[in-house]
């Protein structure tokens, strides 16, 4: 687990939310990351209530333990108070504030380590148990919760955008298995299109803000593969065929937006002010008008 995923404030707030969810003292504060971390807390609660019966690979357990021990040593978790006091004195930390601050931070870091350990072991089991779950299956809700947890752990908008596009591919695989169920088929494609819009909006926004078309490459690769797969859904039902065409129209709109943004970046236009469901909406380059 990359330590860059959590800032100190974010880690401490996550520890508070875990405490509250498990019946601990409520902290009467709100943080801007609460909504983002709520998915992780929800997964933790569901794991406690319904543990999947999946064996975790022994090598994974060994590697995880080594990582946790190294992190605990680096962060000073479990170190004697005298040792922490001596370290603080050598760095000029005020002694009157040390006990409370050290205890709070150590508790937060300890909670994060426990959360990471439990989450890593549990999520590995869930991934194996629910990987092939389909809409209507008992583990399908857990599969979607795991996806939300992955989004909450993502370290950047590019990572989140790519995850959304990966989820859109997963929804497409699910749609192919619900043949004959028009309502279920349409619902899965609705989710697929929603994931597509979310991922594209994040990646096009990054491209526009940085004036760098690199993230658009991921969008184009996704559209090429996804459009071919959606076209391959052999549907004889008129309603399902019409629903598939709506998804194809969305992918065509995504490709068009990506090309327009790439052209705007190439001719040096500033980041677009207008935006919609697919992200920034650029104007034409001067020579194209």
């Amino acid at each position: 687990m990359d330590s860059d995923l959590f800032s100190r404030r974010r880690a401490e707030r996550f520890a508070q939310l875990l405490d509250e969810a498990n019946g601990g003292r409520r902290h009467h504060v709100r943080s801007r990351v609460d909504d983002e971390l709520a998915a992780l807390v929800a997964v933790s609660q569901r794991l406690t209530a319904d543990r999947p019966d999946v064996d975790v690979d022994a090598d994974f357990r060994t590697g995880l333990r080594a990582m946790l021990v190294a992190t605990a040593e680096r962060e000073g978790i479990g170190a004697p108070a005298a040792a922490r006091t001596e370290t603080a004195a050598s760095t000029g930390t005020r002694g009157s504030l040390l006990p409370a601050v050290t205890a709070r931070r150590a508790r937060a870091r300890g909670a994060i380590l426990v959360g990471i350990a439990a989450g890593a072991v549990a999520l590995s089991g869930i991934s194996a148990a629910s990987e092939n779950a389909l809409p209507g299956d008992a583990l399908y809700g857990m599969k979607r919760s795991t996806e939300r947890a992955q989004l909450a752990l993502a370290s950047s908008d590019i990572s989140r955008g790519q995850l959304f596009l990966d989820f859109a591919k997963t929804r497409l695989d699910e749609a192919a298995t619900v043949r004959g169920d028009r309502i279920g088929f349409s619902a899965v494609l609705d989710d697929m299109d929603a994931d597509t819009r979310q991922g594209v909006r994040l990646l096009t926004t990054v491209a526009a803000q940085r004036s760098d078309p690199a993230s658009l490459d991921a969008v184009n690769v996704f559209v090429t593969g996804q459009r071919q797969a959606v076209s391959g859904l052999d549907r004889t039902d008129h309603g399902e065929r019409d629903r598939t065409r709506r998804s194809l129209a969305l992918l065509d709109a995504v490709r068009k937006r990506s090309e327009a943004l790439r052209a705007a970046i190439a001719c040096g236009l500033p980041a677009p002010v207008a935006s919609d469901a697919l992200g920034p909406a650029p104007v034409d380059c001067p020579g194209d008008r």
Side-chain angles (χ1 to χ4, degrees):
M1 183 70 68
D2 192 338
S3 61
D4 289 337
L5 295 177
F6 291 102
S7 65
R8 177 173 296 173
R9 181 175 299 176
R10 181 186 178 95
E12 291 179 352
R13 182 55 182 158
F14 182 46
Q16 290 175 349
L17 292 174
L18 286 175
D19 282 346
E20 293 176 5
N22 290 297
R25 180 177 67 85
R26 295 193 63 81
H27 301 78
H28 298 288
V29 296
R30 285 286 298 172
S31 169
R32 62 184 180 84
V33 299
D34 282 6
D35 291 339
E36 187 177 350
L37 294 175
L40 290 177
V41 177
V43 170
S44 175
Q45 291 179 300
R46 294 190 67 176
L47 290 174
T48 301
D50 186 17
R51 298 177 183 273
D53 185 17
V54 177
D55 292 331
V56 179
D57 184 78
D59 290 339
F60 174 82
R61 289 181 182 273
T62 302
L64 177 62
R65 183 181 184 281
M67 181 272 289
L68 292 175
V69 170
T71 302
E73 291 178 352
R74 184 177 66 251
E75 298 292 344
I77 298 173
R84 293 195 297 268
T85 302
E86 181 179 350
T87 300
S90 66
T91 57
T93 304
R94 294 179 59 184
S96 61
L97 297 178
L98 179 64
V101 173
T102 301
R104 184 171 66 252
R105 288 180 177 171
R107 183 167 174 269
R109 290 170 179 170
I112 289 301
L113 281 177
V114 171
I116 289 174
V121 172
L123 286 177
S124 66
I126 290 174
S127 178
S130 66
E131 181 179 0
N132 297 319
L134 299 173
D137 291 349
L139 285 177
Y140 188 71
M142 189 68 75
K143 177 181 180 179
R144 299 300 297 270
S145 293
T146 303
E147 292 176 354
R148 289 192 292 271
Q150 289 179 271
L151 290 169
L153 288 169
S155 58
S156 68
D157 283 347
I158 291 179
S159 297
R160 277 185 286 274
Q162 292 175 330
L163 277 173
F164 271 119
L165 297 187
D166 287 342
F167 298 155
K169 296 176 184 178
T170 300
R171 301 290 86 79
L172 178 58
D173 292 339
E174 294 168 357
T177 67
V178 291
R179 298 177 182 275
D181 179 3
R182 181 185 298 184
I183 295 177
F185 179 75
S186 180
V188 173
L189 289 192
D190 286 345
D191 289 344
M192 179 187 75
D193 290 349
D195 287 338
T196 296
R197 293 188 187 94
Q198 292 268 35
V200 169
R201 184 171 66 247
L202 287 167
L203 294 174
T204 55
T205 298
V206 169
Q209 290 176 344
R210 299 180 181 179
S211 295
D212 184 353
S215 59
L216 299 178
D217 294 339
V219 172
N220 290 352
V221 169
F222 165 78
V223 169
T224 298
Q226 191 81 341
R227 198 184 193 292
Q228 181 178 0
V230 173
S231 300
L233 290 176
D234 184 16
R235 293 289 170 182
T236 57
D237 181 273
H238 178 73
E240 292 180 349
R241 186 165 58 250
D242 286 346
R243 180 60 192 83
T244 301
R245 288 175 179 172
R246 295 212 312 267
S247 293
L248 290 173
L250 172 62
L251 293 171
D252 290 340
V254 169
R255 183 182 294 279
K256 182 177 180 181
R257 176 61 55 84
S258 177
E259 292 173 351
L261 272 173
R262 193 181 296 274
I265 292 172
C267 66
L269 290 178
V273 176
S275 183
D276 57 21
L278 299 181
V283 298
D284 293 334
C285 292
D288 297 333
R289 296 172 183 169

